[in-house]
Every structure is written in structure tokens, then in C-alpha cells.
Amino acid sequence: MDYKIDTNCVQAGYTPKTGEPRVLPIVQSTTFKYDTSEDMGKLFDLEASGYFYTRLANPTCDSVAAKLCALEGGSAAMLLSSGQAANFFAVFNLASAGDHVVASAALYGGTFNLFSVTMKRMGIEFTFVDPDCTEEELSAAFRPNTKALFGETIANPALAVLDLEMFARVAHAHGVPLIIDNTFPTPVGCRPIEWGADIVTHSTTKYLDGHATSVGGAIVDSGKFDWMAHADKFPGLTTPDESYHGIVYAEKFGQGGAFITKCVAQLMRDFGSSPSAFNAFLLNLGMETLHVRMPKHCANAQAVAEFLQAHEKVAWVQYCGLPGDKYYERGKKYLPNGSCGVLSFGVKGGRAAAETFMKRLKLAAIVTHVADARTCILHPASSTHRQMSDEELLACGVAPDLMRLSVGIEDVEDIIADIRGALEGI
Ligand SMILES: *Cc1c(COP(=O)(O)O)cnc(C)c1O
């Protein structure tokens, strides 16, 4: 049955048979029992599908991955222990030492560090491009050894909205997949695969969980990238894997299964960034209300953005729902039902005024988090992004005075009253 997204949020991924638990069971077991060694051997050789060790796969986690796969419109998906692990695995599944990747410069700070420092030490070089670059500029960043193009639908915290269609067109013209981190809009707000993305990643820690209970990540494959048509670029998918008796992933698991199977069989096996079944259970509970929560986050954020824009002590507001915002038109195209609950702004009086403002807030909490049910706020330059120089901050679209406000799903009048009171103290 082809259900609509609201139904899939509630029901996809787990369908109990008669007499089985109505609610997704937590399979809290590291191991699985088999009658014969031959049965288990088939699993080890990827000749049969099933479970043998939770580092590689677990039924609870797989059900939740299947739900996200349905929401994004993908062919296969996997959960990971964090969004960082998801972005690392998604890129490292394609690129090895000596390879090159093009990425938007407007990225989550952790991802920027992963790419520019840690993966660079592994011999993978990244070129960062302006998220608003032209098609020609983007194309010029590619090299013969480029293996992927990477970007965020809505950048955290820069809130730049990516031109997904253009990025997909350029990636495909160079014979590589487009990887999109879709954490902020969630599939309720945008499904990047419909705009040409090949691989979608998530920090499920944010809206998908929605309650700030569990750090987690996910990768969804669209199944649309033809690895065999670019076989020389992606030998890991198109030539025999000696660690699995010479299996060729793209042949054995097809276009829809190769990427995720390789990612689990090699990277999860070797790096072990596995989510816990219990965290997956909590993530599933969150996703059951995703379609109810996201419109409320968007409506509240829109009202708060309009309030801030009209306030005399506010220097600037960035939210793509505001007419006149740099990303208003792109937002209308890619996020027609609203972007997310996160907006950024600065107050008149710079850093000192911002600190006074933050101190006076009562309802909005200062936390290193965004995108959960509770309103929260952060000053990236003095917290999450403090390892970056001012030049690097500006290059990824984070002004030193930027405050990032994650609007929750409380009553919007209470949220606005809290902000109004804090502004009065400046
Ligand atoms: C938070 C975040 C990440 C990292 O995810 P973790 O779950 O914290 O590891 C990656 N990308 C984006 C866009 C994020 O917001």
C-alpha cells in the first residue's frame, strides 16, 4: 500500500503479524541464535539476510530505518549512533585516500570539522564552495578524482537554503552522487530525493527524535544512482570485495541496495557506530508525531520571526519564511509548507547586548541543541563554533553576533513574551 506521509510517520516500518506486539518491540539483544552453523554462515557471507550481531543489524533499528526510508522515498536505509557517524559513513563509503569531495561551505560545525580536519588527515581532500555559487563556479570545483557533492538542505546554523536541483544537475554532470543532509526540514518539509539527491543523511537527534532524548543518525539511499555506469569512479561498489568472498555490491544487491549494504557490511562492521535498540525505539516514538510537530514548529517560528523583525532593538533576522529574506524564493520552491523552527538574529549593540539578552530569557533555555519540542537558544561563536576563526565563521555564514533560536511547540504567545521581556533589558 502506498500511504501518505502522515500515515507513514505513524505506521511505516513495523507491521505486526497476528498475536505480535502492537508497539515496535525493543530487541535488546546483542546476539541471535541459529540451529546450525551453516545457517549462520550464510548470514556472514551475505548469502541470506537476517540478524546475528547487533553491531551490524538489529530488528528494532531496522524497523525505524525502514520508516525513515518510506518518509524520504528511498530504496534502503540504515540508522547510526549519531549524525556525525552518518555523514562520515555516507562520504567514506564513496571516497578513499587520494579522492576529493566538493561540499557547500554552509555546514554544521561538526561536519565542517569532520571534513576539513579529520577526513583530510585520512587523505580525502575537500573543496568548499559558497552555497550560493553559480552553476559554473560549482562545476569548476570538480576534479577527475571527485567522488561526491555534499550539502545541507537548510544549513545549520547559517540557514542557507540550497538550490537542490542545481546541485544535483552539476553532481550528475560530473558522474557523482549528491549527498544531502536533510536534518532541519525533515522529510515532512522537504524530500531531497524528489529534487535529484542520491543519498540523504540525518542527525535524527533533532526533529526526528524531537524530544532531545537520543543522539542518532541515519542514511537513506535513493537507489537512483547508477554505480555501474560510473564503475571506474566507484571501485568499492563495482569491483569484488575480498573481505566478502569477492562480492560485487552493485551486482549482487543492485542499484537500490548496493550503497547501504556496503556501508553496513564494511563500515559498520569495522567502525561500529551502531545505535542502541532502545534509542531507536525512542526515535520511532518521536517520528510517530513528526507530521504533527513540524507544522507547529514552523508556524511558531514564523510568528517569532515576524515579531523580531518589527522590534526596534533587533538588528537583523534570518528566516526564509520572511518575505525579503535572502532565501525566501528558494524556500518557497523547496520548502512550500514551511522550513523549520530554527531562525537566527542579532540585536543592536552586538556581542554585549546579545549576552544581556541571553541572560534575561526564562522560557528559552541556553543549550547546545536545536530542533526539539522546547524553545532553546545558542550563541554559536562562543560555543559550538568556537574552534573556528572569524574568517571560517563568515565563510560558512555564521556572523560572530549571530544567535540561533530554536522555536519549540509551546504556546507562541509565551515564547514571544519571554523574548520581549529579554529585549527590554538591553
Ligand atoms: C546536529 C547535526 C549534525 C550532527 O549530528 P549529531 O547527531 O549531533 O552527531 C549533522 N548535521 C546537522 C545539519 C546537524 O544539525
PDB file of all heavy atoms in Angstrom, residues 216-246:
ATOM      1  N   GLY A 216      21.449  10.373  17.469  1.00  0.00           N
ATOM      2  CA  GLY A 216      21.369   9.329  16.449  1.00  0.00           C
ATOM      3  C   GLY A 216      21.535   9.896  15.061  1.00  0.00           C
ATOM      4  O   GLY A 216      21.478  11.109  14.846  1.00  0.00           O
ATOM      5  N   GLY A 217      21.760   9.015  14.105  1.00  0.00           N
ATOM      6  CA  GLY A 217      21.910   9.427  12.710  1.00  0.00           C
ATOM      7  C   GLY A 217      21.282   8.412  11.784  1.00  0.00           C
ATOM      8  O   GLY A 217      20.895   7.321  12.210  1.00  0.00           O
ATOM      9  N   ALA A 218      21.178   8.787  10.511  1.00  0.00           N
ATOM     10  CA  ALA A 218      20.609   7.869   9.524  1.00  0.00           C
ATOM     11  C   ALA A 218      21.122   8.209   8.138  1.00  0.00           C
ATOM     12  O   ALA A 218      21.486   9.359   7.862  1.00  0.00           O
ATOM     13  CB  ALA A 218      19.080   7.941   9.537  1.00  0.00           C
ATOM     14  N   ILE A 219      21.171   7.186   7.286  1.00  0.00           N
ATOM     15  CA  ILE A 219      21.489   7.367   5.862  1.00  0.00           C
ATOM     16  C   ILE A 219      20.385   6.691   5.062  1.00  0.00           C
ATOM     17  O   ILE A 219      20.000   5.562   5.360  1.00  0.00           O
ATOM     18  CB  ILE A 219      22.840   6.721   5.475  1.00  0.00           C
ATOM     19  CG1 ILE A 219      23.975   7.248   6.365  1.00  0.00           C
ATOM     20  CG2 ILE A 219      23.161   6.980   4.006  1.00  0.00           C
ATOM     21  CD1 ILE A 219      25.317   6.558   6.119  1.00  0.00           C
ATOM     22  N   VAL A 220      19.872   7.403   4.058  1.00  0.00           N
ATOM     23  CA  VAL A 220      18.873   6.838   3.155  1.00  0.00           C
ATOM     24  C   VAL A 220      19.437   6.897   1.736  1.00  0.00           C
ATOM     25  O   VAL A 220      19.934   7.945   1.303  1.00  0.00           O
ATOM     26  CB  VAL A 220      17.546   7.638   3.200  1.00  0.00           C
ATOM     27  CG1 VAL A 220      16.504   7.002   2.283  1.00  0.00           C
ATOM     28  CG2 VAL A 220      17.018   7.737   4.632  1.00  0.00           C
ATOM     29  N   ASP A 221      19.360   5.791   1.026  1.00  0.00           N
ATOM     30  CA  ASP A 221      19.797   5.761  -0.378  1.00  0.00           C
ATOM     31  C   ASP A 221      18.567   5.867  -1.264  1.00  0.00           C
ATOM     32  O   ASP A 221      17.552   5.212  -1.025  1.00  0.00           O
ATOM     33  CB  ASP A 221      20.540   4.437  -0.639  1.00  0.00           C
ATOM     34  CG  ASP A 221      21.009   4.296  -2.092  1.00  0.00           C
ATOM     35  OD1 ASP A 221      21.059   5.324  -2.813  1.00  0.00           O
ATOM     36  OD2 ASP A 221      21.328   3.162  -2.499  1.00  0.00           O
ATOM     37  N   SER A 222      18.668   6.696  -2.308  1.00  0.00           N
ATOM     38  CA  SER A 222      17.546   6.840  -3.232  1.00  0.00           C
ATOM     39  C   SER A 222      17.423   5.624  -4.148  1.00  0.00           C
ATOM     40  O   SER A 222      16.368   5.360  -4.705  1.00  0.00           O
ATOM     41  CB  SER A 222      17.736   8.086  -4.108  1.00  0.00           C
ATOM     42  OG  SER A 222      18.831   7.879  -4.996  1.00  0.00           O
ATOM     43  N   GLY A 223      18.530   4.921  -4.334  1.00  0.00           N
ATOM     44  CA  GLY A 223      18.547   3.815  -5.297  1.00  0.00           C
ATOM     45  C   GLY A 223      18.578   4.289  -6.738  1.00  0.00           C
ATOM     46  O   GLY A 223      18.423   3.491  -7.674  1.00  0.00           O
ATOM     47  N   LYS A 224      18.813   5.588  -6.930  1.00  0.00           N
ATOM     48  CA  LYS A 224      18.733   6.144  -8.296  1.00  0.00           C
ATOM     49  C   LYS A 224      20.093   6.343  -8.948  1.00  0.00           C
ATOM     50  O   LYS A 224      20.161   6.630 -10.137  1.00  0.00           O
ATOM     51  CB  LYS A 224      17.973   7.477  -8.253  1.00  0.00           C
ATOM     52  CG  LYS A 224      16.492   7.247  -7.964  1.00  0.00           C
ATOM     53  CD  LYS A 224      15.679   8.511  -8.025  1.00  0.00           C
ATOM     54  CE  LYS A 224      14.200   8.178  -7.808  1.00  0.00           C
ATOM     55  NZ  LYS A 224      13.433   9.367  -7.419  1.00  0.00           N
ATOM     56  N   PHE A 225      21.171   6.245  -8.171  1.00  0.00           N
ATOM     57  CA  PHE A 225      22.480   6.475  -8.791  1.00  0.00           C
ATOM     58  C   PHE A 225      22.985   5.176  -9.414  1.00  0.00           C
ATOM     59  O   PHE A 225      23.028   4.137  -8.765  1.00  0.00           O
ATOM     60  CB  PHE A 225      23.490   7.021  -7.772  1.00  0.00           C
ATOM     61  CG  PHE A 225      24.709   7.581  -8.447  1.00  0.00           C
ATOM     62  CD1 PHE A 225      24.723   8.883  -8.905  1.00  0.00           C
ATOM     63  CD2 PHE A 225      25.821   6.776  -8.665  1.00  0.00           C
ATOM     64  CE1 PHE A 225      25.834   9.402  -9.567  1.00  0.00           C
ATOM     65  CE2 PHE A 225      26.933   7.287  -9.320  1.00  0.00           C
ATOM     66  CZ  PHE A 225      26.946   8.598  -9.770  1.00  0.00           C
ATOM     67  N   ASP A 226      23.380   5.273 -10.683  1.00  0.00           N
ATOM     68  CA  ASP A 226      23.823   4.093 -11.435  1.00  0.00           C
ATOM     69  C   ASP A 226      25.335   3.907 -11.256  1.00  0.00           C
ATOM     70  O   ASP A 226      26.136   4.464 -12.001  1.00  0.00           O
ATOM     71  CB  ASP A 226      23.469   4.271 -12.924  1.00  0.00           C
ATOM     72  CG  ASP A 226      23.722   3.001 -13.725  1.00  0.00           C
ATOM     73  OD1 ASP A 226      24.372   2.069 -13.188  1.00  0.00           O
ATOM     74  OD2 ASP A 226      23.277   2.939 -14.887  1.00  0.00           O
ATOM     75  N   TRP A 227      25.691   3.102 -10.236  1.00  0.00           N
ATOM     76  CA  TRP A 227      27.118   2.923  -9.925  1.00  0.00           C
ATOM     77  C   TRP A 227      27.851   2.281 -11.090  1.00  0.00           C
ATOM     78  O   TRP A 227      28.996   2.636 -11.388  1.00  0.00           O
ATOM     79  CB  TRP A 227      27.270   2.051  -8.665  1.00  0.00           C
ATOM     80  CG  TRP A 227      26.486   2.569  -7.517  1.00  0.00           C
ATOM     81  CD1 TRP A 227      25.359   2.026  -6.964  1.00  0.00           C
ATOM     82  CD2 TRP A 227      26.725   3.786  -6.774  1.00  0.00           C
ATOM     83  NE1 TRP A 227      24.892   2.814  -5.939  1.00  0.00           N
ATOM     84  CE2 TRP A 227      25.707   3.892  -5.801  1.00  0.00           C
ATOM     85  CE3 TRP A 227      27.702   4.780  -6.840  1.00  0.00           C
ATOM     86  CZ2 TRP A 227      25.643   4.959  -4.895  1.00  0.00           C
ATOM     87  CZ3 TRP A 227      27.632   5.842  -5.943  1.00  0.00           C
ATOM     88  CH2 TRP A 227      26.623   5.921  -4.989  1.00  0.00           C
ATOM     89  N   MET A 228      27.208   1.324 -11.743  1.00  0.00           N
ATOM     90  CA  MET A 228      27.869   0.600 -12.832  1.00  0.00           C
ATOM     91  C   MET A 228      28.185   1.509 -14.013  1.00  0.00           C
ATOM     92  O   MET A 228      29.170   1.296 -14.711  1.00  0.00           O
ATOM     93  CB  MET A 228      26.994  -0.584 -13.269  1.00  0.00           C
ATOM     94  CG  MET A 228      27.094  -1.766 -12.326  1.00  0.00           C
ATOM     95  SD  MET A 228      28.811  -2.193 -11.974  1.00  0.00           S
ATOM     96  CE  MET A 228      28.675  -3.915 -11.640  1.00  0.00           C
ATOM     97  N   ALA A 229      27.351   2.545 -14.210  1.00  0.00           N
ATOM     98  CA  ALA A 229      27.608   3.480 -15.315  1.00  0.00           C
ATOM     99  C   ALA A 229      28.846   4.338 -15.037  1.00  0.00           C
ATOM    100  O   ALA A 229      29.383   4.967 -15.941  1.00  0.00           O
ATOM    101  CB  ALA A 229      26.390   4.376 -15.538  1.00  0.00           C
ATOM    102  N   HIS A 230      29.282   4.366 -13.765  1.00  0.00           N
ATOM    103  CA  HIS A 230      30.488   5.129 -13.385  1.00  0.00           C
ATOM    104  C   HIS A 230      31.426   4.205 -12.623  1.00  0.00           C
ATOM    105  O   HIS A 230      31.997   4.570 -11.608  1.00  0.00           O
ATOM    106  CB  HIS A 230      30.097   6.344 -12.543  1.00  0.00           C
ATOM    107  CG  HIS A 230      29.072   7.203 -13.208  1.00  0.00           C
ATOM    108  ND1 HIS A 230      29.395   8.080 -14.219  1.00  0.00           N
ATOM    109  CD2 HIS A 230      27.733   7.291 -13.053  1.00  0.00           C
ATOM    110  CE1 HIS A 230      28.289   8.687 -14.637  1.00  0.00           C
ATOM    111  NE2 HIS A 230      27.265   8.214 -13.951  1.00  0.00           N
ATOM    112  N   ALA A 231      31.558   2.989 -13.138  1.00  0.00           N
ATOM    113  CA  ALA A 231      32.241   1.906 -12.413  1.00  0.00           C
ATOM    114  C   ALA A 231      33.674   2.274 -12.042  1.00  0.00           C
ATOM    115  O   ALA A 231      34.149   1.926 -10.961  1.00  0.00           O
ATOM    116  CB  ALA A 231      32.210   0.636 -13.247  1.00  0.00           C
ATOM    117  N   ASP A 232      34.357   3.002 -12.917  1.00  0.00           N
ATOM    118  CA  ASP A 232      35.766   3.306 -12.640  1.00  0.00           C
ATOM    119  C   ASP A 232      35.920   4.271 -11.467  1.00  0.00           C
ATOM    120  O   ASP A 232      36.927   4.273 -10.780  1.00  0.00           O
ATOM    121  CB  ASP A 232      36.442   3.872 -13.895  1.00  0.00           C
ATOM    122  CG  ASP A 232      35.660   5.039 -14.474  1.00  0.00           C
ATOM    123  OD1 ASP A 232      34.408   5.047 -14.338  1.00  0.00           O
ATOM    124  OD2 ASP A 232      36.280   5.961 -15.039  1.00  0.00           O
ATOM    125  N   LYS A 233      34.899   5.104 -11.219  1.00  0.00           N
ATOM    126  CA  LYS A 233      34.958   6.062 -10.104  1.00  0.00           C
ATOM    127  C   LYS A 233      34.681   5.394  -8.759  1.00  0.00           C
ATOM    128  O   LYS A 233      35.134   5.881  -7.731  1.00  0.00           O
ATOM    129  CB  LYS A 233      33.883   7.146 -10.317  1.00  0.00           C
ATOM    130  CG  LYS A 233      34.407   8.419 -10.975  1.00  0.00           C
ATOM    131  CD  LYS A 233      33.358   9.516 -10.800  1.00  0.00           C
ATOM    132  CE  LYS A 233      33.545  10.640 -11.793  1.00  0.00           C
ATOM    133  NZ  LYS A 233      34.789  11.385 -11.611  1.00  0.00           N
ATOM    134  N   PHE A 234      33.888   4.326  -8.775  1.00  0.00           N
ATOM    135  CA  PHE A 234      33.432   3.737  -7.506  1.00  0.00           C
ATOM    136  C   PHE A 234      33.782   2.257  -7.412  1.00  0.00           C
ATOM    137  O   PHE A 234      32.894   1.400  -7.325  1.00  0.00           O
ATOM    138  CB  PHE A 234      31.921   3.961  -7.352  1.00  0.00           C
ATOM    139  CG  PHE A 234      31.551   5.418  -7.426  1.00  0.00           C
ATOM    140  CD1 PHE A 234      30.943   5.943  -8.568  1.00  0.00           C
ATOM    141  CD2 PHE A 234      31.845   6.272  -6.371  1.00  0.00           C
ATOM    142  CE1 PHE A 234      30.631   7.293  -8.643  1.00  0.00           C
ATOM    143  CE2 PHE A 234      31.540   7.624  -6.450  1.00  0.00           C
ATOM    144  CZ  PHE A 234      30.932   8.136  -7.581  1.00  0.00           C
ATOM    145  N   PRO A 235      35.108   1.947  -7.422  1.00  0.00           N
ATOM    146  CA  PRO A 235      35.518   0.536  -7.401  1.00  0.00           C
ATOM    147  C   PRO A 235      35.019  -0.209  -6.164  1.00  0.00           C
ATOM    148  O   PRO A 235      34.806  -1.417  -6.226  1.00  0.00           O
ATOM    149  CB  PRO A 235      37.059   0.619  -7.427  1.00  0.00           C
ATOM    150  CG  PRO A 235      37.390   2.006  -6.965  1.00  0.00           C
ATOM    151  CD  PRO A 235      36.259   2.872  -7.424  1.00  0.00           C
ATOM    152  N   GLY A 236      34.793   0.507  -5.066  1.00  0.00           N
ATOM    153  CA  GLY A 236      34.314  -0.156  -3.848  1.00  0.00           C
ATOM    154  C   GLY A 236      32.939  -0.780  -4.039  1.00  0.00           C
ATOM    155  O   GLY A 236      32.579  -1.732  -3.350  1.00  0.00           O
ATOM    156  N   LEU A 237      32.171  -0.241  -4.967  1.00  0.00           N
ATOM    157  CA  LEU A 237      30.824  -0.771  -5.221  1.00  0.00           C
ATOM    158  C   LEU A 237      30.778  -1.669  -6.445  1.00  0.00           C
ATOM    159  O   LEU A 237      29.845  -2.458  -6.599  1.00  0.00           O
ATOM    160  CB  LEU A 237      29.837   0.394  -5.409  1.00  0.00           C
ATOM    161  CG  LEU A 237      29.477   1.142  -4.120  1.00  0.00           C
ATOM    162  CD1 LEU A 237      29.138   2.586  -4.405  1.00  0.00           C
ATOM    163  CD2 LEU A 237      28.313   0.451  -3.419  1.00  0.00           C
ATOM    164  N   THR A 238      31.765  -1.527  -7.320  1.00  0.00           N
ATOM    165  CA  THR A 238      31.658  -2.185  -8.625  1.00  0.00           C
ATOM    166  C   THR A 238      32.737  -3.225  -8.901  1.00  0.00           C
ATOM    167  O   THR A 238      32.773  -3.803  -9.981  1.00  0.00           O
ATOM    168  CB  THR A 238      31.714  -1.120  -9.750  1.00  0.00           C
ATOM    169  OG1 THR A 238      32.977  -0.437  -9.657  1.00  0.00           O
ATOM    170  CG2 THR A 238      30.585  -0.120  -9.618  1.00  0.00           C
ATOM    171  N   THR A 239      33.647  -3.429  -7.916  1.00  0.00           N
ATOM    172  CA  THR A 239      34.651  -4.489  -8.066  1.00  0.00           C
ATOM    173  C   THR A 239      34.582  -5.392  -6.828  1.00  0.00           C
ATOM    174  O   THR A 239      34.012  -4.990  -5.806  1.00  0.00           O
ATOM    175  CB  THR A 239      36.078  -3.908  -8.223  1.00  0.00           C
ATOM    176  OG1 THR A 239      36.401  -3.178  -7.036  1.00  0.00           O
ATOM    177  CG2 THR A 239      36.179  -2.997  -9.437  1.00  0.00           C
ATOM    178  N   PRO A 240      35.132  -6.610  -6.905  1.00  0.00           N
ATOM    179  CA  PRO A 240      34.964  -7.579  -5.815  1.00  0.00           C
ATOM    180  C   PRO A 240      35.496  -7.096  -4.466  1.00  0.00           C
ATOM    181  O   PRO A 240      36.557  -6.479  -4.390  1.00  0.00           O
ATOM    182  CB  PRO A 240      35.760  -8.793  -6.300  1.00  0.00           C
ATOM    183  CG  PRO A 240      35.779  -8.659  -7.786  1.00  0.00           C
ATOM    184  CD  PRO A 240      35.833  -7.194  -8.069  1.00  0.00           C
ATOM    185  N   ASP A 241      34.712  -7.351  -3.407  1.00  0.00           N
ATOM    186  CA  ASP A 241      35.133  -7.074  -2.029  1.00  0.00           C
ATOM    187  C   ASP A 241      35.751  -8.350  -1.485  1.00  0.00           C
ATOM    188  O   ASP A 241      35.047  -9.327  -1.217  1.00  0.00           O
ATOM    189  CB  ASP A 241      33.918  -6.660  -1.189  1.00  0.00           C
ATOM    190  CG  ASP A 241      34.284  -6.418   0.280  1.00  0.00           C
ATOM    191  OD1 ASP A 241      35.477  -6.594   0.640  1.00  0.00           O
ATOM    192  OD2 ASP A 241      33.379  -6.049   1.052  1.00  0.00           O
ATOM    193  N   GLU A 242      37.075  -8.330  -1.349  1.00  0.00           N
ATOM    194  CA  GLU A 242      37.783  -9.550  -0.922  1.00  0.00           C
ATOM    195  C   GLU A 242      37.401  -9.927   0.509  1.00  0.00           C
ATOM    196  O   GLU A 242      37.531 -11.081   0.899  1.00  0.00           O
ATOM    197  CB  GLU A 242      39.297  -9.386  -1.076  1.00  0.00           C
ATOM    198  CG  GLU A 242      39.763  -9.230  -2.542  1.00  0.00           C
ATOM    199  CD  GLU A 242      39.148 -10.263  -3.498  1.00  0.00           C
ATOM    200  OE1 GLU A 242      38.842 -11.384  -3.055  1.00  0.00           O
ATOM    201  OE2 GLU A 242      38.944  -9.925  -4.682  1.00  0.00           O
ATOM    202  N   SER A 243      36.929  -8.944   1.316  1.00  0.00           N
ATOM    203  CA  SER A 243      36.557  -9.294   2.684  1.00  0.00           C
ATOM    204  C   SER A 243      35.189  -9.983   2.736  1.00  0.00           C
ATOM    205  O   SER A 243      34.731 -10.391   3.796  1.00  0.00           O
ATOM    206  CB  SER A 243      36.606  -8.055   3.593  1.00  0.00           C
ATOM    207  OG  SER A 243      35.569  -7.156   3.284  1.00  0.00           O
ATOM    208  N   TYR A 244      34.517 -10.081   1.591  1.00  0.00           N
ATOM    209  CA  TYR A 244      33.267 -10.860   1.500  1.00  0.00           C
ATOM    210  C   TYR A 244      33.298 -11.798   0.295  1.00  0.00           C
ATOM    211  O   TYR A 244      32.382 -11.808  -0.522  1.00  0.00           O
ATOM    212  CB  TYR A 244      32.044  -9.926   1.445  1.00  0.00           C
ATOM    213  CG  TYR A 244      31.601  -9.490   2.830  1.00  0.00           C
ATOM    214  CD1 TYR A 244      31.774  -8.187   3.244  1.00  0.00           C
ATOM    215  CD2 TYR A 244      31.049 -10.402   3.723  1.00  0.00           C
ATOM    216  CE1 TYR A 244      31.402  -7.778   4.518  1.00  0.00           C
ATOM    217  CE2 TYR A 244      30.682 -10.016   4.997  1.00  0.00           C
ATOM    218  CZ  TYR A 244      30.860  -8.708   5.391  1.00  0.00           C
ATOM    219  OH  TYR A 244      30.505  -8.328   6.655  1.00  0.00           O
ATOM    220  N   HIS A 245      34.365 -12.548   0.175  1.00  0.00           N
ATOM    221  CA  HIS A 245      34.476 -13.598  -0.852  1.00  0.00           C
ATOM    222  C   HIS A 245      34.217 -13.077  -2.251  1.00  0.00           C
ATOM    223  O   HIS A 245      33.567 -13.739  -3.058  1.00  0.00           O
ATOM    224  CB  HIS A 245      33.521 -14.768  -0.571  1.00  0.00           C
ATOM    225  CG  HIS A 245      33.566 -15.222   0.848  1.00  0.00           C
ATOM    226  ND1 HIS A 245      34.677 -15.795   1.398  1.00  0.00           N
ATOM    227  CD2 HIS A 245      32.635 -15.164   1.833  1.00  0.00           C
ATOM    228  CE1 HIS A 245      34.435 -16.079   2.667  1.00  0.00           C
ATOM    229  NE2 HIS A 245      33.217 -15.693   2.968  1.00  0.00           N
ATOM    230  N   GLY A 246      34.673 -11.859  -2.513  1.00  0.00           N
ATOM    231  CA  GLY A 246      34.604 -11.362  -3.880  1.00  0.00           C
ATOM    232  C   GLY A 246      33.239 -10.874  -4.329  1.00  0.00           C
ATOM    233  O   GLY A 246      32.971 -10.763  -5.528  1.00  0.00           O
TER     234      GLY A 246
END
